[in-house]
mmCIF file with all atom_site columns, all heavy atoms in Angstrom:
data_model
loop_
_atom_site.group_PDB
_atom_site.id
_atom_site.type_symbol
_atom_site.label_atom_id
_atom_site.label_alt_id
_atom_site.label_comp_id
_atom_site.label_asym_id
_atom_site.label_entity_id
_atom_site.label_seq_id
_atom_site.pdbx_PDB_ins_code
_atom_site.Cartn_x
_atom_site.Cartn_y
_atom_site.Cartn_z
_atom_site.occupancy
_atom_site.B_iso_or_equiv
_atom_site.pdbx_formal_charge
_atom_site.auth_seq_id
_atom_site.auth_comp_id
_atom_site.auth_asym_id
_atom_site.auth_atom_id
_atom_site.pdbx_PDB_model_num
ATOM 1   N N   . GLY A 1 1  ? -212.982 180.048 142.374 1.00 0.00 ? 730 GLY A N   1
ATOM 2   C CA  . GLY A 1 1  ? -213.501 179.294 141.287 1.00 0.00 ? 730 GLY A CA  1
ATOM 3   C C   . GLY A 1 1  ? -212.432 178.965 140.198 1.00 0.00 ? 730 GLY A C   1
ATOM 4   O O   . GLY A 1 1  ? -212.522 177.896 139.526 1.00 0.00 ? 730 GLY A O   1
ATOM 5   N N   . ALA A 1 2  ? -211.243 179.737 140.188 1.00 0.00 ? 731 ALA A N   1
ATOM 6   C CA  . ALA A 1 2  ? -210.170 179.427 139.366 1.00 0.00 ? 731 ALA A CA  1
ATOM 7   C C   . ALA A 1 2  ? -209.271 178.439 139.978 1.00 0.00 ? 731 ALA A C   1
ATOM 8   O O   . ALA A 1 2  ? -208.142 178.112 139.351 1.00 0.00 ? 731 ALA A O   1
ATOM 9   C CB  . ALA A 1 2  ? -209.453 180.667 138.941 1.00 0.00 ? 731 ALA A CB  1
ATOM 10  N N   . GLY A 1 3  ? -209.595 177.890 141.162 1.00 0.00 ? 732 GLY A N   1
ATOM 11  C CA  . GLY A 1 3  ? -208.663 177.033 141.806 1.00 0.00 ? 732 GLY A CA  1
ATOM 12  C C   . GLY A 1 3  ? -207.631 177.377 142.784 1.00 0.00 ? 732 GLY A C   1
ATOM 13  O O   . GLY A 1 3  ? -206.854 176.692 143.356 1.00 0.00 ? 732 GLY A O   1
ATOM 14  N N   . LEU A 1 4  ? -207.712 178.800 143.238 1.00 0.00 ? 733 LEU A N   1
ATOM 15  C CA  . LEU A 1 4  ? -206.956 179.267 144.159 1.00 0.00 ? 733 LEU A CA  1
ATOM 16  C C   . LEU A 1 4  ? -207.487 179.181 145.668 1.00 0.00 ? 733 LEU A C   1
ATOM 17  O O   . LEU A 1 4  ? -208.613 179.225 145.732 1.00 0.00 ? 733 LEU A O   1
ATOM 18  C CB  . LEU A 1 4  ? -206.660 180.772 144.004 1.00 0.00 ? 733 LEU A CB  1
ATOM 19  C CG  . LEU A 1 4  ? -205.961 181.174 142.591 1.00 0.00 ? 733 LEU A CG  1
ATOM 20  C CD1 . LEU A 1 4  ? -205.899 182.760 142.520 1.00 0.00 ? 733 LEU A CD1 1
ATOM 21  C CD2 . LEU A 1 4  ? -204.537 180.480 142.465 1.00 0.00 ? 733 LEU A CD2 1
ATOM 22  N N   . GLY A 1 5  ? -206.577 178.829 146.564 1.00 0.00 ? 734 GLY A N   1
ATOM 23  C CA  . GLY A 1 5  ? -206.890 178.827 147.918 1.00 0.00 ? 734 GLY A CA  1
ATOM 24  C C   . GLY A 1 5  ? -207.226 180.188 148.434 1.00 0.00 ? 734 GLY A C   1
ATOM 25  O O   . GLY A 1 5  ? -206.264 181.111 148.205 1.00 0.00 ? 734 GLY A O   1
ATOM 26  N N   . VAL A 1 6  ? -208.101 180.406 149.377 1.00 0.00 ? 735 VAL A N   1
ATOM 27  C CA  . VAL A 1 6  ? -208.374 181.799 149.793 1.00 0.00 ? 735 VAL A CA  1
ATOM 28  C C   . VAL A 1 6  ? -207.307 182.400 150.406 1.00 0.00 ? 735 VAL A C   1
ATOM 29  O O   . VAL A 1 6  ? -206.886 183.628 150.305 1.00 0.00 ? 735 VAL A O   1
ATOM 30  C CB  . VAL A 1 6  ? -209.733 181.745 150.713 1.00 0.00 ? 735 VAL A CB  1
ATOM 31  C CG1 . VAL A 1 6  ? -209.502 180.977 151.999 1.00 0.00 ? 735 VAL A CG1 1
ATOM 32  C CG2 . VAL A 1 6  ? -210.084 183.242 150.986 1.00 0.00 ? 735 VAL A CG2 1
ATOM 33  N N   . ASP A 1 7  ? -206.431 181.539 151.312 1.00 0.00 ? 736 ASP A N   1
ATOM 34  C CA  . ASP A 1 7  ? -205.387 182.120 152.044 1.00 0.00 ? 736 ASP A CA  1
ATOM 35  C C   . ASP A 1 7  ? -204.161 182.270 151.159 1.00 0.00 ? 736 ASP A C   1
ATOM 36  O O   . ASP A 1 7  ? -203.121 182.841 151.609 1.00 0.00 ? 736 ASP A O   1
ATOM 37  C CB  . ASP A 1 7  ? -205.049 181.293 153.331 1.00 0.00 ? 736 ASP A CB  1
ATOM 38  C CG  . ASP A 1 7  ? -206.059 181.417 154.364 1.00 0.00 ? 736 ASP A CG  1
ATOM 39  O OD1 . ASP A 1 7  ? -206.595 182.543 154.549 1.00 0.00 ? 736 ASP A OD1 1
ATOM 40  O OD2 . ASP A 1 7  ? -206.455 180.411 155.060 1.00 0.00 ? 736 ASP A OD2 1
ATOM 41  N N   . ASP A 1 8  ? -204.163 181.757 149.960 1.00 0.00 ? 737 ASP A N   1
ATOM 42  C CA  . ASP A 1 8  ? -203.139 182.022 148.903 1.00 0.00 ? 737 ASP A CA  1
ATOM 43  C C   . ASP A 1 8  ? -203.063 183.403 148.384 1.00 0.00 ? 737 ASP A C   1
ATOM 44  O O   . ASP A 1 8  ? -202.043 183.819 148.020 1.00 0.00 ? 737 ASP A O   1
ATOM 45  C CB  . ASP A 1 8  ? -203.116 180.868 147.801 1.00 0.00 ? 737 ASP A CB  1
ATOM 46  C CG  . ASP A 1 8  ? -202.831 179.574 148.253 1.00 0.00 ? 737 ASP A CG  1
ATOM 47  O OD1 . ASP A 1 8  ? -202.077 179.350 149.239 1.00 0.00 ? 737 ASP A OD1 1
ATOM 48  O OD2 . ASP A 1 8  ? -203.252 178.601 147.611 1.00 0.00 ? 737 ASP A OD2 1
ATOM 49  N N   . PHE A 1 9  ? -204.233 183.918 148.227 1.00 0.00 ? 738 PHE A N   1
ATOM 50  C CA  . PHE A 1 9  ? -204.327 185.327 147.525 1.00 0.00 ? 738 PHE A CA  1
ATOM 51  C C   . PHE A 1 9  ? -204.947 186.414 148.358 1.00 0.00 ? 738 PHE A C   1
ATOM 52  O O   . PHE A 1 9  ? -204.691 187.535 148.260 1.00 0.00 ? 738 PHE A O   1
ATOM 53  C CB  . PHE A 1 9  ? -205.182 185.151 146.376 1.00 0.00 ? 738 PHE A CB  1
ATOM 54  C CG  . PHE A 1 9  ? -206.637 184.846 146.454 1.00 0.00 ? 738 PHE A CG  1
ATOM 55  C CD1 . PHE A 1 9  ? -207.583 185.892 146.655 1.00 0.00 ? 738 PHE A CD1 1
ATOM 56  C CD2 . PHE A 1 9  ? -207.131 183.628 146.389 1.00 0.00 ? 738 PHE A CD2 1
ATOM 57  C CE1 . PHE A 1 9  ? -208.939 185.599 146.861 1.00 0.00 ? 738 PHE A CE1 1
ATOM 58  C CE2 . PHE A 1 9  ? -208.409 183.390 146.743 1.00 0.00 ? 738 PHE A CE2 1
ATOM 59  C CZ  . PHE A 1 9  ? -209.365 184.303 146.816 1.00 0.00 ? 738 PHE A CZ  1
ATOM 60  N N   . ALA A 1 10 ? -205.815 186.018 149.407 1.00 0.00 ? 739 ALA A N   1
ATOM 61  C CA  . ALA A 1 10 ? -206.582 187.055 150.140 1.00 0.00 ? 739 ALA A CA  1
ATOM 62  C C   . ALA A 1 10 ? -205.594 187.984 150.967 1.00 0.00 ? 739 ALA A C   1
ATOM 63  O O   . ALA A 1 10 ? -205.946 189.209 151.178 1.00 0.00 ? 739 ALA A O   1
ATOM 64  C CB  . ALA A 1 10 ? -207.515 186.387 151.045 1.00 0.00 ? 739 ALA A CB  1
ATOM 65  N N   . PRO A 1 11 ? -204.431 187.543 151.522 1.00 0.00 ? 740 PRO A N   1
ATOM 66  C CA  . PRO A 1 11 ? -203.554 188.414 152.163 1.00 0.00 ? 740 PRO A CA  1
ATOM 67  C C   . PRO A 1 11 ? -203.061 189.613 151.352 1.00 0.00 ? 740 PRO A C   1
ATOM 68  O O   . PRO A 1 11 ? -202.652 190.643 151.946 1.00 0.00 ? 740 PRO A O   1
ATOM 69  C CB  . PRO A 1 11 ? -202.496 187.571 152.668 1.00 0.00 ? 740 PRO A CB  1
ATOM 70  C CG  . PRO A 1 11 ? -203.042 186.216 152.717 1.00 0.00 ? 740 PRO A CG  1
ATOM 71  C CD  . PRO A 1 11 ? -203.954 186.119 151.620 1.00 0.00 ? 740 PRO A CD  1
ATOM 72  N N   . ARG A 1 12 ? -203.025 189.440 150.105 1.00 0.00 ? 741 ARG A N   1
ATOM 73  C CA  . ARG A 1 12 ? -202.526 190.458 149.181 1.00 0.00 ? 741 ARG A CA  1
ATOM 74  C C   . ARG A 1 12 ? -203.745 191.393 148.602 1.00 0.00 ? 741 ARG A C   1
ATOM 75  O O   . ARG A 1 12 ? -203.445 192.327 147.661 1.00 0.00 ? 741 ARG A O   1
ATOM 76  C CB  . ARG A 1 12 ? -201.755 189.969 147.992 1.00 0.00 ? 741 ARG A CB  1
ATOM 77  C CG  . ARG A 1 12 ? -200.621 189.190 148.415 1.00 0.00 ? 741 ARG A CG  1
ATOM 78  C CD  . ARG A 1 12 ? -199.775 189.705 149.534 1.00 0.00 ? 741 ARG A CD  1
ATOM 79  N NE  . ARG A 1 12 ? -199.274 191.106 149.336 1.00 0.00 ? 741 ARG A NE  1
ATOM 80  C CZ  . ARG A 1 12 ? -198.609 191.724 150.265 1.00 0.00 ? 741 ARG A CZ  1
ATOM 81  N NH1 . ARG A 1 12 ? -198.519 191.302 151.396 1.00 0.00 ? 741 ARG A NH1 1
ATOM 82  N NH2 . ARG A 1 12 ? -198.163 192.980 150.053 1.00 0.00 ? 741 ARG A NH2 1
ATOM 83  N N   . LEU A 1 13 ? -204.952 191.192 149.083 1.00 0.00 ? 742 LEU A N   1
ATOM 84  C CA  . LEU A 1 13 ? -206.126 192.000 148.647 1.00 0.00 ? 742 LEU A CA  1
ATOM 85  C C   . LEU A 1 13 ? -205.949 193.401 149.264 1.00 0.00 ? 742 LEU A C   1
ATOM 86  O O   . LEU A 1 13 ? -205.642 193.403 150.561 1.00 0.00 ? 742 LEU A O   1
ATOM 87  C CB  . LEU A 1 13 ? -207.345 191.449 148.852 1.00 0.00 ? 742 LEU A CB  1
ATOM 88  C CG  . LEU A 1 13 ? -207.733 190.163 148.253 1.00 0.00 ? 742 LEU A CG  1
ATOM 89  C CD1 . LEU A 1 13 ? -209.111 189.581 148.631 1.00 0.00 ? 742 LEU A CD1 1
ATOM 90  C CD2 . LEU A 1 13 ? -207.631 190.198 146.750 1.00 0.00 ? 742 LEU A CD2 1
ATOM 91  N N   . SER A 1 14 ? -206.182 194.471 148.596 1.00 0.00 ? 743 SER A N   1
ATOM 92  C CA  . SER A 1 14 ? -206.283 195.835 149.299 1.00 0.00 ? 743 SER A CA  1
ATOM 93  C C   . SER A 1 14 ? -207.378 196.619 148.891 1.00 0.00 ? 743 SER A C   1
ATOM 94  O O   . SER A 1 14 ? -208.129 196.179 147.822 1.00 0.00 ? 743 SER A O   1
ATOM 95  C CB  . SER A 1 14 ? -204.980 196.549 149.084 1.00 0.00 ? 743 SER A CB  1
ATOM 96  O OG  . SER A 1 14 ? -204.685 196.896 147.823 1.00 0.00 ? 743 SER A OG  1
ATOM 97  N N   . PHE A 1 15 ? -207.742 197.698 149.538 1.00 0.00 ? 744 PHE A N   1
ATOM 98  C CA  . PHE A 1 15 ? -208.829 198.478 149.189 1.00 0.00 ? 744 PHE A CA  1
ATOM 99  C C   . PHE A 1 15 ? -208.685 199.896 149.049 1.00 0.00 ? 744 PHE A C   1
ATOM 100 O O   . PHE A 1 15 ? -207.448 200.357 149.378 1.00 0.00 ? 744 PHE A O   1
ATOM 101 C CB  . PHE A 1 15 ? -209.994 198.274 150.214 1.00 0.00 ? 744 PHE A CB  1
ATOM 102 C CG  . PHE A 1 15 ? -210.576 196.949 150.351 1.00 0.00 ? 744 PHE A CG  1
ATOM 103 C CD1 . PHE A 1 15 ? -209.921 195.919 150.911 1.00 0.00 ? 744 PHE A CD1 1
ATOM 104 C CD2 . PHE A 1 15 ? -211.797 196.653 149.705 1.00 0.00 ? 744 PHE A CD2 1
ATOM 105 C CE1 . PHE A 1 15 ? -210.393 194.625 150.865 1.00 0.00 ? 744 PHE A CE1 1
ATOM 106 C CE2 . PHE A 1 15 ? -212.434 195.336 149.613 1.00 0.00 ? 744 PHE A CE2 1
ATOM 107 C CZ  . PHE A 1 15 ? -211.712 194.351 150.349 1.00 0.00 ? 744 PHE A CZ  1
ATOM 108 N N   . PHE A 1 16 ? -209.353 200.743 148.464 1.00 0.00 ? 745 PHE A N   1
ATOM 109 C CA  . PHE A 1 16 ? -209.109 202.091 148.194 1.00 0.00 ? 745 PHE A CA  1
ATOM 110 C C   . PHE A 1 16 ? -210.453 202.949 148.365 1.00 0.00 ? 745 PHE A C   1
ATOM 111 O O   . PHE A 1 16 ? -211.433 202.656 147.796 1.00 0.00 ? 745 PHE A O   1
ATOM 112 C CB  . PHE A 1 16 ? -208.658 202.224 146.667 1.00 0.00 ? 745 PHE A CB  1
ATOM 113 C CG  . PHE A 1 16 ? -208.417 203.659 146.180 1.00 0.00 ? 745 PHE A CG  1
ATOM 114 C CD1 . PHE A 1 16 ? -208.175 204.650 147.066 1.00 0.00 ? 745 PHE A CD1 1
ATOM 115 C CD2 . PHE A 1 16 ? -208.395 203.921 144.845 1.00 0.00 ? 745 PHE A CD2 1
ATOM 116 C CE1 . PHE A 1 16 ? -207.893 205.973 146.451 1.00 0.00 ? 745 PHE A CE1 1
ATOM 117 C CE2 . PHE A 1 16 ? -208.304 205.222 144.334 1.00 0.00 ? 745 PHE A CE2 1
ATOM 118 C CZ  . PHE A 1 16 ? -207.915 206.234 145.216 1.00 0.00 ? 745 PHE A CZ  1
ATOM 119 N N   . PHE A 1 17 ? -210.261 203.875 149.284 1.00 0.00 ? 746 PHE A N   1
ATOM 120 C CA  . PHE A 1 17 ? -211.588 204.570 149.708 1.00 0.00 ? 746 PHE A CA  1
ATOM 121 C C   . PHE A 1 17 ? -211.258 206.083 149.743 1.00 0.00 ? 746 PHE A C   1
ATOM 122 O O   . PHE A 1 17 ? -210.157 206.499 149.520 1.00 0.00 ? 746 PHE A O   1
ATOM 123 C CB  . PHE A 1 17 ? -211.929 204.211 151.195 1.00 0.00 ? 746 PHE A CB  1
ATOM 124 C CG  . PHE A 1 17 ? -212.352 202.821 151.227 1.00 0.00 ? 746 PHE A CG  1
ATOM 125 C CD1 . PHE A 1 17 ? -211.795 201.811 152.148 1.00 0.00 ? 746 PHE A CD1 1
ATOM 126 C CD2 . PHE A 1 17 ? -213.469 202.225 150.449 1.00 0.00 ? 746 PHE A CD2 1
ATOM 127 C CE1 . PHE A 1 17 ? -212.172 200.492 152.228 1.00 0.00 ? 746 PHE A CE1 1
ATOM 128 C CE2 . PHE A 1 17 ? -213.799 200.894 150.580 1.00 0.00 ? 746 PHE A CE2 1
ATOM 129 C CZ  . PHE A 1 17 ? -213.109 199.970 151.344 1.00 0.00 ? 746 PHE A CZ  1
ATOM 130 N N   . VAL A 1 18 ? -212.485 206.847 149.699 1.00 0.00 ? 747 VAL A N   1
ATOM 131 C CA  . VAL A 1 18 ? -212.451 208.341 149.773 1.00 0.00 ? 747 VAL A CA  1
ATOM 132 C C   . VAL A 1 18 ? -212.399 208.724 151.259 1.00 0.00 ? 747 VAL A C   1
ATOM 133 O O   . VAL A 1 18 ? -212.792 208.000 152.098 1.00 0.00 ? 747 VAL A O   1
ATOM 134 C CB  . VAL A 1 18 ? -213.435 208.857 148.987 1.00 0.00 ? 747 VAL A CB  1
ATOM 135 C CG1 . VAL A 1 18 ? -214.765 208.781 149.757 1.00 0.00 ? 747 VAL A CG1 1
ATOM 136 C CG2 . VAL A 1 18 ? -213.321 210.285 148.680 1.00 0.00 ? 747 VAL A CG2 1
ATOM 137 N N   . ALA A 1 19 ? -211.759 209.980 151.597 1.00 0.00 ? 748 ALA A N   1
ATOM 138 C CA  . ALA A 1 19 ? -212.029 210.596 152.783 1.00 0.00 ? 748 ALA A CA  1
ATOM 139 C C   . ALA A 1 19 ? -212.740 212.019 152.400 1.00 0.00 ? 748 ALA A C   1
ATOM 140 O O   . ALA A 1 19 ? -212.129 212.774 151.766 1.00 0.00 ? 748 ALA A O   1
ATOM 141 C CB  . ALA A 1 19 ? -210.767 210.953 153.549 1.00 0.00 ? 748 ALA A CB  1
ATOM 142 N N   . ARG A 1 20 ? -213.917 212.083 153.081 1.00 0.00 ? 749 ARG A N   1
ATOM 143 C CA  . ARG A 1 20 ? -214.739 213.329 152.843 1.00 0.00 ? 749 ARG A CA  1
ATOM 144 C C   . ARG A 1 20 ? -214.462 214.394 154.054 1.00 0.00 ? 749 ARG A C   1
ATOM 145 O O   . ARG A 1 20 ? -213.747 214.000 155.074 1.00 0.00 ? 749 ARG A O   1
ATOM 146 C CB  . ARG A 1 20 ? -216.109 212.982 152.751 1.00 0.00 ? 749 ARG A CB  1
ATOM 147 C CG  . ARG A 1 20 ? -216.519 212.105 151.709 1.00 0.00 ? 749 ARG A CG  1
ATOM 148 C CD  . ARG A 1 20 ? -217.952 211.688 151.746 1.00 0.00 ? 749 ARG A CD  1
ATOM 149 N NE  . ARG A 1 20 ? -218.344 210.839 150.753 1.00 0.00 ? 749 ARG A NE  1
ATOM 150 C CZ  . ARG A 1 20 ? -218.120 209.308 150.743 1.00 0.00 ? 749 ARG A CZ  1
ATOM 151 N NH1 . ARG A 1 20 ? -217.460 208.885 151.657 1.00 0.00 ? 749 ARG A NH1 1
ATOM 152 N NH2 . ARG A 1 20 ? -218.681 208.685 149.716 1.00 0.00 ? 749 ARG A NH2 1
ATOM 153 N N   . THR A 1 21 ? -214.968 215.434 153.899 1.00 0.00 ? 750 THR A N   1
ATOM 154 C CA  . THR A 1 21 ? -214.948 216.479 155.064 1.00 0.00 ? 750 THR A CA  1
ATOM 155 C C   . THR A 1 21 ? -215.826 216.114 156.266 1.00 0.00 ? 750 THR A C   1
ATOM 156 O O   . THR A 1 21 ? -215.771 216.757 157.418 1.00 0.00 ? 750 THR A O   1
ATOM 157 C CB  . THR A 1 21 ? -215.242 217.911 154.636 1.00 0.00 ? 750 THR A CB  1
ATOM 158 O OG1 . THR A 1 21 ? -216.497 217.834 153.861 1.00 0.00 ? 750 THR A OG1 1
ATOM 159 C CG2 . THR A 1 21 ? -214.238 218.404 153.645 1.00 0.00 ? 750 THR A CG2 1
ATOM 160 N N   . THR A 1 22 ? -216.840 215.211 156.090 1.00 0.00 ? 751 THR A N   1
ATOM 161 C CA  . THR A 1 22 ? -217.636 214.733 157.235 1.00 0.00 ? 751 THR A CA  1
ATOM 162 C C   . THR A 1 22 ? -216.960 213.839 158.137 1.00 0.00 ? 751 THR A C   1
ATOM 163 O O   . THR A 1 22 ? -217.072 212.558 158.099 1.00 0.00 ? 751 THR A O   1
ATOM 164 C CB  . THR A 1 22 ? -218.898 214.107 156.547 1.00 0.00 ? 751 THR A CB  1
ATOM 165 O OG1 . THR A 1 22 ? -218.514 213.218 155.668 1.00 0.00 ? 751 THR A OG1 1
ATOM 166 C CG2 . THR A 1 22 ? -219.954 215.178 156.044 1.00 0.00 ? 751 THR A CG2 1
ATOM 167 N N   . LEU A 1 23 ? -216.016 214.463 158.968 1.00 0.00 ? 752 LEU A N   1
ATOM 168 C CA  . LEU A 1 23 ? -214.937 213.664 159.644 1.00 0.00 ? 752 LEU A CA  1
ATOM 169 C C   . LEU A 1 23 ? -215.490 212.471 160.443 1.00 0.00 ? 752 LEU A C   1
ATOM 170 O O   . LEU A 1 23 ? -214.957 211.306 160.500 1.00 0.00 ? 752 LEU A O   1
ATOM 171 C CB  . LEU A 1 23 ? -214.191 214.674 160.384 1.00 0.00 ? 752 LEU A CB  1
ATOM 172 C CG  . LEU A 1 23 ? -213.004 214.122 161.189 1.00 0.00 ? 752 LEU A CG  1
ATOM 173 C CD1 . LEU A 1 23 ? -211.853 215.285 161.168 1.00 0.00 ? 752 LEU A CD1 1
ATOM 174 C CD2 . LEU A 1 23 ? -213.301 213.913 162.709 1.00 0.00 ? 752 LEU A CD2 1
ATOM 175 N N   . LEU A 1 24 ? -216.528 212.664 161.239 1.00 0.00 ? 753 LEU A N   1
ATOM 176 C CA  . LEU A 1 24 ? -216.985 211.734 162.210 1.00 0.00 ? 753 LEU A CA  1
ATOM 177 C C   . LEU A 1 24 ? -217.547 210.399 161.431 1.00 0.00 ? 753 LEU A C   1
ATOM 178 O O   . LEU A 1 24 ? -217.362 209.387 161.708 1.00 0.00 ? 753 LEU A O   1
ATOM 179 C CB  . LEU A 1 24 ? -218.074 212.325 163.242 1.00 0.00 ? 753 LEU A CB  1
ATOM 180 C CG  . LEU A 1 24 ? -217.616 213.394 164.097 1.00 0.00 ? 753 LEU A CG  1
ATOM 181 C CD1 . LEU A 1 24 ? -218.718 213.889 164.979 1.00 0.00 ? 753 LEU A CD1 1
ATOM 182 C CD2 . LEU A 1 24 ? -216.399 212.964 164.957 1.00 0.00 ? 753 LEU A CD2 1
ATOM 183 N N   . GLU A 1 25 ? -218.409 210.863 160.481 1.00 0.00 ? 754 GLU A N   1
ATOM 184 C CA  . GLU A 1 25 ? -219.034 209.658 159.736 1.00 0.00 ? 754 GLU A CA  1
ATOM 185 C C   . GLU A 1 25 ? -217.890 208.875 159.005 1.00 0.00 ? 754 GLU A C   1
ATOM 186 O O   . GLU A 1 25 ? -217.994 207.567 158.891 1.00 0.00 ? 754 GLU A O   1
ATOM 187 C CB  . GLU A 1 25 ? -219.978 210.150 158.612 1.00 0.00 ? 754 GLU A CB  1
ATOM 188 C CG  . GLU A 1 25 ? -220.707 209.055 157.867 1.00 0.00 ? 754 GLU A CG  1
ATOM 189 C CD  . GLU A 1 25 ? -221.832 209.437 156.921 1.00 0.00 ? 754 GLU A CD  1
ATOM 190 O OE1 . GLU A 1 25 ? -221.881 210.711 156.788 1.00 0.00 ? 754 GLU A OE1 1
ATOM 191 O OE2 . GLU A 1 25 ? -222.400 208.670 156.372 1.00 0.00 ? 754 GLU A OE2 1
ATOM 192 N N   . GLU A 1 26 ? -216.881 209.550 158.462 1.00 0.00 ? 755 GLU A N   1
ATOM 193 C CA  . GLU A 1 26 ? -215.726 208.848 157.861 1.00 0.00 ? 755 GLU A CA  1
ATOM 194 C C   . GLU A 1 26 ? -214.986 207.968 158.722 1.00 0.00 ? 755 GLU A C   1
ATOM 195 O O   . GLU A 1 26 ? -214.680 206.874 158.330 1.00 0.00 ? 755 GLU A O   1
ATOM 196 C CB  . GLU A 1 26 ? -214.809 209.913 157.176 1.00 0.00 ? 755 GLU A CB  1
ATOM 197 C CG  . GLU A 1 26 ? -215.558 210.682 155.952 1.00 0.00 ? 755 GLU A CG  1
ATOM 198 C CD  . GLU A 1 26 ? -215.861 209.879 154.813 1.00 0.00 ? 755 GLU A CD  1
ATOM 199 O OE1 . GLU A 1 26 ? -215.058 209.323 154.008 1.00 0.00 ? 755 GLU A OE1 1
ATOM 200 O OE2 . GLU A 1 26 ? -217.046 209.520 154.614 1.00 0.00 ? 755 GLU A OE2 1
ATOM 201 N N   . ILE A 1 27 ? -214.691 208.437 159.964 1.00 0.00 ? 756 ILE A N   1
ATOM 202 C CA  . ILE A 1 27 ? -214.022 207.574 160.841 1.00 0.00 ? 756 ILE A CA  1
ATOM 203 C C   . ILE A 1 27 ? -214.917 206.307 161.119 1.00 0.00 ? 756 ILE A C   1
ATOM 204 O O   . ILE A 1 27 ? -214.342 205.158 161.050 1.00 0.00 ? 756 ILE A O   1
ATOM 205 C CB  . ILE A 1 27 ? -213.876 208.356 162.157 1.00 0.00 ? 756 ILE A CB  1
ATOM 206 C CG1 . ILE A 1 27 ? -212.850 209.465 162.011 1.00 0.00 ? 756 ILE A CG1 1
ATOM 207 C CG2 . ILE A 1 27 ? -213.240 207.402 163.298 1.00 0.00 ? 756 ILE A CG2 1
ATOM 208 C CD1 . ILE A 1 27 ? -212.755 210.525 163.158 1.00 0.00 ? 756 ILE A CD1 1
#
């Protein structure tokens, strides 16, 4: 919406998740 092309910024998006002790479900 601000005028950026999706492939101009999306390659630098990253994510941050938790890892719990429920090993199989986390995988």
Side-chain angles (χ1 to χ4, degrees):
L733 298 175
V735 65
D736 288 323
D737 290 337
F738 66 88
R741 303 316 306 173
L742 301 180
S743 64
F744 292 79
F745 176 23
F746 297 121
V747 77
R749 302 169 179 82
T750 53
T751 45
L752 186 141
L753 298 181
E754 183 178 8
E755 292 297 288
I756 295 169

